[in-house]
Structure formats: C-alpha cells, structure tokens
Amino acid sequence: MSEYEREARRERLDELRASGVDPYPARVGPRERIHEVSERYAQVDGPTLEADAPACALAGRIVAKRSFGKLMFLRILEDGETLQVSCRKQEMEPDAFAFAKVVDVGDFVRVEGVLWRTKTDELTLDARVIEMLSKSLRPLPEKFHGLTDVEARFRQRYLDLLANEDSRKVAVKRSLTLRAMRRFLDGRGFLEVETPVLQPLYGGAHARPFETRYKAYDQNVYLRISDELYLKRLVVGGLDRVYEIGHNFRNEGVSKKHSPEFTMMECYQAFADYNDMMDLTQDMLQSIAKEVSGGTKVDYLGEDIDFGGDWPRIPMHEAILDRTGVDVTATDDVASLRAAIQAAGHVPSDAPTWAQLVDDLFSEFVEPELRQPTFITNHPVALSPLAKKSVEDPRFVERFEVFAIGIELGNAFSELNDPIDQRERFEEQVKAQADGDDEAHPLDEDFLAALEHGMPPTGGLGIGVDRVVMILGGVANIREAILFPHMRPESA
RNA sequence: GGGCGCGUAGCUCAAUUGGCAGAGCAAGGGACUCUUAAUCCCUAGGUUCGGGGUUCGAUUCCCCGCGCGCUCACCA
C-alpha cells in the first residue's frame, strides 16, 4: 500500500509546523482573481509589462510544477482558470526561494510577485513570496490521461472535476440550466415554492415510492415521486402561477436515462391549458439553450439538435400510425389492437390493457426516433389519471410529452379539475393496484377535497432537469449529469 | 434481475502457451535559469478486487462473492 507519498508530504507538513508556518491558515491575504488578471493583461506585451512591472498577488491550487535548479515554473488553478508562476532565485530572498522549492502539486498557495512575459510570451507571475494556504497530503490524478475510471470518477467526483475539464463543464452547465430556468419562469410571473419531500401519501406519477418513517409522529411517510398534487393545492389556494425545482424519488430501475433520485421542475399556470403549456415549454427550452449553449442549436455527441422554431405537435395515435401502420383509434380493446398490430406485421407486447399496448407501441417504434424536439399529444386516458379528457375523443386526454434525442424531457396536461371525474379516475387506479399494478396512484381524499373547493382551469408541466442537462452538457448517461450519482458501498 | 465485459503501483496502462509482475506520470535523491505531458541519472513503491479450487508453479484456467461498465428487462 503506497502510504509512501503521503508520508513524504506529512513530513513536509511537520517541517512547516516546526518552522512556525501554519499549513492551514485561517486568513488569506489580499489577492486578485486569476481570470481578472488574465483578462486585464491579455493584450499587454512583454516590454510594456517589464517597464511597468505590475505587482500582483494570486491564490490557487498548484497543478503543475517544473523545476530547473535556480528557476521553477508552477501552474496555479483558481475557479477553473490557471496562470503560470515563475520562481527565479535571483529575484527572491533565499528563504522564500527555498520554500518555493518544497511546495507540492496539489497545495493551495498565495503568491505575491510581479507580472511579466516569458520567452514564449506567456503571462506569468514572477514570485517574490509564496505562502502556504492549505497543504495537500494526497496526489492528484495523473495529469495527461486524467482520471478515466468511471467508478473512481463518480466516487471521487472532486478529482474528476479537477482532472477532467469536460466534467467541470457539465457541472457548470447544469448550474446555468437551473439559473436560466428560474430566470425564465420568474420572468413569466411564476412564484418559486417549496412543497414537502416527505409525504403521507405519494402521487402525481406512476411510480413506486421510497418509504421511510416519521419518528415524531409515529407515521409512515413516502419520499415524493412528484410535486404535482401539492402544487395544484396551491393553485386552488389562489397562487395562480407556481413552480418548484426539486428532487423526486422513484424506487425503480436505473438506466442511462433513469436515476431513482432526480431533479424535476414542475410548474402550474391557472387559466391555461396544455396548448399554452406547449408554448411555454418551447419558449423555456429555447431560452435555456440560448443562455447555456449560446444558441438554439446544440451539438449533442455529434448530432445536431435544434431547439429553434416551432416544434412538431403530433397526436400520439398519428405518430404510431406513421411509424407502424397501426391505427389504434380503429380499435377499442386489447384483442382488436393486438390483431391490428399483427396485421401490420409487428409483434405485439404482452401488455394487459389497450392503453398499455398503445404505450408500448409508442415506446418501441416512435420514441427512439424523436431526435429533434417534438411534442407528442393526446395520450390514452387510462395512462393519465390527472389529465382532462380530450373534447374530441374521450379515450384520450389533453396531454403532451416533449421529446428530444429519443427520450422524454417533459410531461404536461390540461389539469383535471372536475372532482367527480378525478374521483372516478382514482378509483380506477385503486382497481388497477388491486389487480397487481403496484405503481398505480393511491386515492388521495385530501387532494380531492381541494378539487371540490374548486380549481381553475390549469395547465401543468413537468420537466426532467437532468435530461435537459444531458443534452446541453453532451453526455449520454444521466449519471454524468448528476454530480454524485448513487453508488453501492465499495467494500461490503 | 438476466447476458456480456472489466478489476494489476496513487493515476494511465503492459505482462508471450500457466513460468521471477513491468513501463510512463506522480513520489524520494541528484543535475539543470524559459518550461508548459520539461529533460537526464539513480531509488523506492504490489494482498494482481476478495475467497476457494486445479497445478510443481496462477495476474493468466475453473468456481463463488464484491464493485464498475455496456446491454436487455423494468422504469406508462
């Protein structure tokens, strides 16, 4: 076991302390930011710098060290920006130069000196004094290849962020995405609200919950699978435009597009319907793409994804007809739909209901083909217990999902505000649960009471934030878009 | 959960048919005033993921376990 290097660093740490230097001082002296200095002197040439000899102090982590006897170059990193530091024996007090020689890659230091340009015309801080700000006891990953082991990258994300510029970019883009989303919604008059993560009854999505225990109330509770039913209560309460960005938890499979803990943005707008929410979705994602990627065209792993313009709005049954030749509207039960699928030359799934069979057709034949941003509308009513029925065809609902790169980014509907209809839908869900669908919605009396008091016509939308980050960040796995994806314990 | 693959030094990777486990970077010592993957000389660093088995001998072959990746299923 190579405690070897750590021991060498520990020895230097002890030597520092012995010589009266605090290796972890509480205060940082005056300093400028690296990016400010780089920008300010970007156009100033070597002779001018030499004449002015501007004094400068910077702080950062040493990420490279190249030593030549009486000369040494360091590279220091601060908030994603680096600058070169030179240490020349002729320009430094003997003690200061000796100290500079024993700093390690990984240490945080503050450097006071004078700016100049080297023979290769690189802006460089020529050190007069180096102070230890924080001593590093473990080595950074190898500099050329970085940290490539996926497991190590997730378990020690801090090393990944330091060693791999791409990882840092994704982290930054995630933050920019959230900021742009908030900015957009705030600009539309939405209030950001917070609703419970621990819920006595879960709802708002078709998923299996995590369960936990509320000790003070001696009560079983669930981690939310969705914010939906609480946000609608707020609309009932007269908060006409609300949104929440937060973590939802679904106790289900992990895949490159599913993480059991994920980030959802849900927003609700009174006196709007699903058509309004389509406009909102399109405007919002265009606005986010512009802010995060500088335009509506995004290069996703070599594929051009364009958020610009008006996106197609295709009823689900039309999309299925187009891709499979099956007209689901011409059938009304599982048996006839199965027959139609076979007649079209396809193998039907073993879905037990008409609605689920429609959904399977869509998932298999349509969804993976939806590369560019696309709205798919009017889902089967049985799959959408919280959505208003379509005026034209009550087998379907006023709902859409938005897709890109073959995955679902969001889901929205004209919210069901008829308490009688809502109760019947819940009762169907309860029946489905009794029939073995352990992801069906439980009946929420408290929510029904709220609806009975009256909810205005309302449009609601949920956006999978991690998936948007996948596209804007150019990563193929949702775990790459999440800073600390869940991992099993390393040693059991 | 199934299938396939991977697991060797801090990091990135080698190791012939089963025959003393190696290199680069990082580290320690030395040389060096213009490097930026610095260079050169020397040195040290290993429970080859863990446990069993086969064998004179296992990083290598077999079995079990653990972790990770890909994939299928699941996740409307």
Side-chain angles (χ1 to χ4, degrees):
Chain A
M1 182 105 39
S2 187
E3 292 296 309
Y4 198 75
E5 176 162 354
R6 287 175 69 198
E7 277 170 22
R9 290 182 177 220
R10 276 302 295 265
E11 278 173 25
R12 283 194 286 278
L13 179 92
D14 293 340
E15 283 163 17
L16 280 181
R17 286 207 161 109
S19 67
V21 175
D22 181 357
Y24 302 101
R27 303 280 176 265
V28 179
R31 52 136 200 165
E32 296 180 87
R33 304 291 301 272
I34 286 181
H35 75 91
E36 291 169 355
V37 170
S38 309
E39 281 165 28
R40 190 184 322 141
Y41 294 101
Q43 306 302 327
V44 182
D45 63 21
T48 310
L49 271 181
E50 194 153 353
D52 297 350
C56 178
L58 301 172
R61 188 197 281 271
I62 298 169
V63 291
K65 180 180 176 183
R66 292 179 288 276
S67 184
F68 302 82
K70 301 192 184 84
L71 167 71
M72 180 171 70
F73 291 105
L74 302 174
R75 179 156 293 280
I76 59 172
L77 167 72
E78 181 225 339
D79 202 16
E81 304 279 332
T82 68
L83 197 92
Q84 181 164 267
V85 170
S86 57
C87 302
R88 293 188 287 178
K89 192 171 184 185
Q90 72 199 41
E91 303 291 345
M92 300 176 77
E93 295 295 325
D95 286 355
F97 186 73
F99 181 83
K101 295 283 277 189
V102 299
V103 297
D104 287 308
V105 171
D107 292 350
F108 287 88
V109 292
R110 176 172 171 275
V111 183
E112 281 180 13
V114 173
L115 291 167
W116 68 309
R117 284 187 184 274
T118 61
K119 285 178 185 170
T120 54
D121 206 35
E122 177 164 354
L123 183 67
T124 300
L125 179 59
D126 196 39
R128 294 295 175 273
V129 175
I130 294 187
E131 296 166 12
M132 184 63 65
L133 295 181
S134 179
K135 184 72 192 165
S136 161
L137 296 180
R138 291 180 190 250
L140 262 24
E142 188 236 18
K143 55 192 160 193
F144 187 60
H145 298 91
L147 187 68
T148 62
D149 180 70
V150 178
E151 184 175 352
R153 287 184 43 237
F154 291 163
R155 287 192 194 279
Q156 295 181 277
R157 185 65 102 172
Y158 49 93
L159 293 181
D160 181 40
L161 291 166
L162 284 171
N164 301 313
E165 202 181 335
D166 286 351
S167 294
R168 183 186 169 92
K169 280 186 185 158
V170 174
V172 170
K173 283 187 173 178
R174 181 176 180 110
S175 182
L176 294 179
T177 300
L178 289 167
R179 183 196 294 175
M181 190 174 266
R182 287 199 164 92
R183 211 196 293 276
F184 176 87
L185 290 163
D186 293 347
R188 294 277 180 119
F190 285 83
L191 285 179
E192 181 168 7
V193 297
E194 294 170 281
T195 66
V197 172
L198 295 175
Q199 302 180 346
L201 203 58
Y202 59 96
H206 199 87
R208 193 176 298 121
F210 287 88
E211 299 173 50
T212 186
R213 185 82 190 151
Y214 217 131
K215 214 172 158 187
Y217 292 96
D218 191 26
Q219 182 186 6
N220 287 321
V221 290
Y222 304 94
L223 275 67
R224 67 180 174 203
I225 60 172
S226 161
D227 318 349
E228 173 152 359
L229 302 184
Y230 283 91
L231 291 173
K232 285 186 191 171
R233 283 171 170 93
L234 294 178
V235 176
V236 169
L239 299 180
D240 280 8
R241 295 187 180 204
V242 291
Y243 74 96
E244 178 165 22
I245 297 175
H247 284 201
N248 289 348
F249 305 85
R250 298 184 182 176
N251 210 343
E252 292 174 342
V254 176
S255 80
K256 61 167 63 174
K257 51 179 178 170
H258 294 90
S259 172
E261 176 174 2
F262 66 103
T263 300
M264 176 88 102
M265 187 290 296
E266 286 197 36
C267 63
Y268 290 83
Q269 178 176 343
F271 312 109
D273 62 25
Y274 80 138
N275 289 306
D276 300 312
M277 300 319 277
M278 270 188 266
D279 295 341
L280 179 85
T281 301
Q282 188 174 291
D283 290 348
M284 179 168 63
L285 288 173
Q286 284 173 354
S287 166
I288 292 171
K290 281 180 200 160
E291 206 163 317
V292 175
S293 300
T296 57
K297 291 198 169 81
V298 177
D299 173 22
Y300 178 72
L301 301 173
E303 183 177 6
D304 290 327
I305 304 297
D306 189 357
F307 286 98
D310 284 329
W311 310 342
R313 302 181 176 192
I314 309 169
M316 182 179 269
H317 69 87
E318 282 180 21
I320 292 173
L321 177 62
D322 183 51
R323 300 280 175 178
T324 65
V326 177
D327 182 3
V328 302
T329 61
T331 65
D332 24 33
D333 57 24
V334 204
S336 57
L337 180 52
R338 289 182 69 88
I341 294 169
Q342 279 162 342
H346 301 296
V347 181
S349 74
D350 54 5
T353 68
W354 180 85
Q356 283 170 40
L357 192 47
V358 170
D359 190 55
D360 285 351
L361 272 182
F362 176 78
S363 301
E364 183 180 350
F365 293 100
V366 184
E367 182 172 0
E369 307 296 324
L370 301 174
R371 309 305 303 180
Q372 297 299 325
T374 305
F375 294 108
I376 295 294
T377 69
N378 295 50
H379 298 56
V381 63
L383 301 178
S384 317
L386 301 165
K388 226 173 227 183
K389 280 174 191 157
S390 163
V391 198
E392 295 88 36
D393 187 341
R395 290 176 299 175
F396 299 98
V397 291
E398 292 207 350
R399 172 181 178 185
F400 72 82
E401 291 177 302
V402 57
F403 293 86
I405 64 166
I407 65 177
E408 179 198 339
L409 300 183
N411 180 25
F413 20 90
S414 300
E415 301 296 336
L416 179 54
N417 61 347
D418 173 345
I420 313 297
D421 190 357
Q422 183 66 78
R423 181 175 294 278
E424 287 168 8
R425 306 277 197 97
F426 271 142
E427 280 163 0
E428 279 160 30
Q429 289 290 311
V430 170
K431 208 182 299 170
Q433 191 159 36
D435 292 344
D437 182 354
D438 52 3
E439 290 168 359
H441 278 72
L443 193 149
D444 191 334
E445 279 295 351
D446 186 66
F447 173 69
L448 283 172
L451 281 194
E452 286 169 10
H453 281 100
M455 183 172 84
T458 300
L461 166 69
I463 294 284
V465 173
D466 314 274
R467 291 177 174 181
V468 174
V469 174
M470 284 172 70
I471 300 179
L472 300 179
V475 295
N477 194 313
I478 195 169
R479 289 160 71 82
E480 296 285 357
I482 294 172
L483 281 172
F484 296 101
H486 184 78
M487 303 287 277
R488 285 196 175 88
E490 205 163 0
S491 52

